[in-house]
Amino acid sequence: MRLRTVVPSGLGLAALAIAVCGILLSGSGPGPAAAASLPALPAGWPTTLQLGMSDSPGGAAQMKATAPFGFRYQYLAGGANTGSGWSTWNPSGAFATYYIQDSVANAIVPVFTYYMIRQSAPGNAQDEASGVANNLQNQATMAAYFNDLKLFFQRAGAFPSNLVVLHVEPDMWGYVQQRSTGDNAATFSAQVASTGLPELAALPNTMGGFARAVVRLRDLYAPNVKLGYHLSYWGTGTDPLYSKPSDAQIDALAARSAAFYTSLGANFDLAFAEFSDRDAGFYQYVYGNPNAWWAPADFARNVRYLSDFVALTAKRVVMWQIPYGNTKMRAMNNTWNHYQDNRPEWLLDDPARAHLADYVNAGVVALLFGGGAGGVTCSCDAARDGVTNPAPINGNTGLSLSADDDGGYFRSKAQAYYGGGAMSLSGGGGSPTATSTPTTAATGTPTNTQTNTPANTQTNTPTKTPTPANTPTTAATKTATPKPTATPVAGWTTSAFVSPLSMTAGASVTITASIRSGSAANALVDVEVYGPNGTKVFQKYYDNRAFAAGVTQNFVQQWTVPGGSARGTYTVKIGVFSPGWGTLYTWNNGAASFTVQ
């Protein structure tokens, strides 16, 4: 946008819509923005567009050997009151200290994705939307949560001269927006001042109070930390990828997203947004959803949405957890860890850099790549199958450059990006940092660094798959991956029965999942329901359940189909994993189905 629109705190949806319409009528509609219109960069932020990756503890040096990346990110997860949260991975939260030290030593800015609300008790035993809501309203849970968050800030604040980024609770904001009234965070309660923390006294017990509590703790203990609000497009109830809205509808949806953020009354430094947490090929071949591929029109809508949001909130955006898949390399044959996608190509394989320019001009200030589930493509040898060149499919004739599961594609493109000079983030007021403004390429062959694949953030309206409990014990211990990390294990049988087989929206369906193991074992059972358009609409899981050899166990859950749900066929899918979302034992992509009339 060429007209910068700064929205005052408390501005409602109607006023935001008027602001967007004003921009349209001015003759410069949303879309790639002119650099002069962009809000200032956060103080100390790099002044060039930096790339980053999900990276395990102790992996900074290997990552930097590939290309002069500006960022690396790591989940902090496990729940605030479960005994297995991030603060327990090393004594007294030293995990964060070690990760920052490793990053600083290798001139990379550390980014932490704080994903604790969903995994805290008691909500971790419920479906995600309900679990998140109930945890926010539980006084004891939130007291534990804010104490954990305070510990993080104390750890990060010990590096006052170094930029640290905290990405706050992906998905939580989207679920809250869906349950708020009129996209107003003040209408959704959360325990804040009532937790008894003296630092939070007098803050309202609402989601606005929650957001202000995060900012207050940061201000008190770690001014060097930049806070990232997570923009969930689907918080409006409409996912632009699947609904294909018009430009006018995109503007209205972005205005709603901006209205909800503004209603928090809290000054975050940035927003984080995402394309998807998994490769399009993963959705197609694992979940049976062929509609996750992005076309040029989808990218154009995405740029417009972001441009609107940036103009209305004055917050620049980090694109986060971008899948690694490509359609160029023979290694990408749509098998486990080798699923195709086209987003890295769109961003990094455009010689004119026009696509990157669109995102920069919309307000994007960093691109962070990483998988959101085990089994997705990795820029590492997660499959442990070495250099692979299976027969080409769909015209992917490129020979692998390394043992990386994507054929070495991402690392080679990252080298080429930096070799051509990192793009300027014009229009910002921040100053460059010595650690994050490289303009020359690193030399050498791409390394095969193992990267994390922790929490999954969902880009659809329904719930998403949970992340695991991570259990590092030393500075260099890798956190556990959230989803399957190996090929399915034989010996398990699954099926499901639903009653009734046909119903109307608003009615309930009973889903009975039957699971049998060929040998004695403990497992996590995951039951999911997908709607007619392939999006997940229900999930319940049962962790660490004991199975005797040859004995069938039944898991019964009841789901009320929300009013207004789409008509059509709904599919029940069942996964069985080792406890804590470890190894995938079996996945049933069509255990049962029923019809909503």
Side-chain angles (χ1 to χ4, degrees):
M1 287 180 207
R2 293 179 175 82
L3 175 64
R4 176 181 170 187
T5 305
V6 180
V7 183
S9 178
L11 187 62
L13 172 59
L16 278 168
I18 291 171
V20 173
C21 291
I23 292 170
L24 288 168
L25 291 173
S26 73
S28 24
S37 72
L38 293 172
L41 293 167
W45 195 265
T47 57
T48 53
L49 178 71
Q50 293 296 308
L51 308 183
M53 301 172 66
S54 169
D55 188 46
S56 302
Q62 288 179 299
M63 179 178 164
K64 199 75 172 188
T66 300
F69 291 103
F71 297 92
R72 62 195 288 248
Y73 77 86
Q74 161 72 43
Y75 275 83
L76 298 181
N81 55 1
T82 61
S84 58
W86 73 270
S87 62
T88 70
W89 298 348
N90 295 110
S92 303
F95 179 86
T97 299
Y98 297 147
Y99 196 86
I100 296 171
Q101 288 173 334
D102 187 31
S103 302
V104 170
N106 290 279
I108 305 178
V109 175
V111 179
F112 294 96
T113 292
Y114 208 77
Y115 187 76
M116 294 288 284
I117 286 290
R118 195 280 173 273
Q119 294 188 330
S120 298
N124 55 5
Q126 301 172 300
D127 69 90
E128 183 156 8
S130 298
V132 165
N134 290 336
N135 279 345
L136 286 166
Q137 295 165 352
N138 185 299
Q139 190 176 74
T141 300
M142 293 312 298
Y145 178 90
F146 284 122
N147 276 310
D148 256 29
L149 184 60
K150 175 180 173 180
L151 176 61
F152 167 78
F153 285 128
Q154 289 170 330
R155 286 288 184 176
F159 299 83
S161 300
N162 297 105
L163 175 63
V164 177
V165 182
L166 185 69
H167 171 207
V168 182
E169 296 295 345
D171 301 325
M172 176 192 72
W173 308 100
Y175 290 127
V176 171
Q177 183 181 3
Q178 289 182 341
R179 294 188 175 213
S180 67
T181 301
D183 300 316
N184 185 352
T187 65
F188 190 93
S189 63
Q191 301 297 319
V192 184
S194 58
T195 60
L197 271 72
E199 298 94 336
L200 310 185
L203 288 175
N205 290 311
T206 66
M207 279 307 294
F210 174 97
R212 279 168 261 171
V214 174
V215 175
R216 181 176 293 183
L217 291 173
R218 185 279 308 272
D219 291 347
L220 286 170
Y221 297 108
N224 59 310
V225 171
K226 301 304 177 188
L227 295 175
Y229 165 82
H230 189 86
L231 166 60
S232 293
Y233 311 117
W234 49 267
T236 63
T238 299
D239 188 322
L241 175 63
Y242 292 95
S243 61
K244 313 297 184 189
S246 66
D247 285 352
Q249 290 170 321
I250 282 286
D251 296 338
L253 292 170
R256 289 185 57 193
S257 293
F260 179 76
Y261 169 76
T262 303
S263 75
L264 296 170
N267 189 22
F268 284 71
D269 300 289
L270 300 148
F272 276 59
E274 58 192 327
F275 294 108
S276 173
D277 63 339
R278 306 170 199 197
D279 310 287
F282 186 95
Y283 274 106
Q284 182 173 356
Y285 291 96
V286 176
Y287 292 154
N289 174 13
N291 303 312
W293 286 91
W294 283 52
D298 297 309
F299 288 104
R301 279 186 286 267
N302 185 239
V303 166
R304 188 180 186 97
Y305 204 118
L306 294 171
S307 185
D308 284 349
F309 183 84
V310 170
L312 293 169
T313 62
K315 300 300 171 189
R316 301 262 200 138
V317 173
V318 173
M319 295 304 291
W320 167 78
Q321 203 159 258
I322 306 169
Y324 284 118
N326 65 79
T327 65
K328 303 291 188 179
M329 312 301 286
R330 283 174 55 176
M332 309 303 299
N333 64 342
N334 287 323
T335 60
W336 203 248
N337 294 126
H338 298 283
Y339 291 101
Q340 294 187 339
D341 197 275
N342 63 345
R343 281 160 284 206
E345 297 163 37
W346 184 267
L347 296 169
L348 299 178
D349 205 1
D350 171 22
R353 293 189 169 186
H355 302 156
L356 282 180
D358 285 344
Y359 277 96
V360 168
N361 290 335
V364 171
V365 295
L367 301 174
L368 307 186
F369 291 78
V376 298
T377 302
C378 183
S379 184
C380 66
D381 191 12
R384 301 185 185 278
D385 52 5
V387 176
T388 57
N389 286 296
I393 62 170
N394 307 325
N396 62 336
T397 56
L399 293 176
S400 292
L401 304 173
S402 72
D404 286 0
D405 294 332
D406 70 340
Y409 182 85
F410 171 73
R411 293 180 189 273
S412 70
K413 292 304 174 184
Q415 288 179 330
Y417 169 76
Y418 282 110
M423 293 182 66
S424 173
L425 299 175
S426 300
S431 57
T433 60
T435 62
S436 308
T437 55
T439 56
T440 58
T443 58
T445 302
T447 59
N448 301 322
T449 307
Q450 173 71 40
T451 58
N452 277 347
T453 55
N456 317 315
T457 55
Q458 179 74 358
T459 55
N460 301 335
T461 303
T463 60
K464 68 171 194 57
T465 309
T467 61
N470 301 281
T471 56
T473 56
T474 64
T477 302
K478 182 181 181 298
T479 56
T481 53
K483 271 294 215 178
T485 56
T487 52
V489 176
W492 294 84
T493 58
T494 64
S495 62
F497 173 78
V498 296
S499 179
L501 293 174
S502 180
M503 69 214 68
T504 58
S508 294
V509 59
T510 300
I511 304 167
T512 303
S514 299
I515 316 294
R516 185 177 65 184
S517 174
S519 58
N522 281 32
L524 181 151
V525 175
D526 177 35
V527 181
E528 304 178 3
V529 177
Y530 287 74
N533 66 351
T535 60
K536 194 192 313 179
V537 294
F538 172 80
Q539 177 180 27
K540 188 168 183 179
Y541 68 95
Y542 310 82
D543 200 1
N544 202 27
R545 296 304 177 94
F547 287 82
V551 178
T552 298
Q553 288 195 47
N554 292 323
F555 298 83
V556 181
Q557 43 272 308
Q558 198 170 56
W559 177 54
T560 300
V561 182
S565 293
R567 298 180 181 181
T569 300
Y570 286 67
T571 304
V572 178
K573 304 185 181 186
I574 300 173
V576 181
F577 305 81
S578 62
W581 298 98
T583 300
L584 173 66
Y585 290 153
T586 188
W587 179 265
N588 189 335
N589 209 45
S593 62
F594 58 93
T595 302
V596 174
Q597 298 181 336

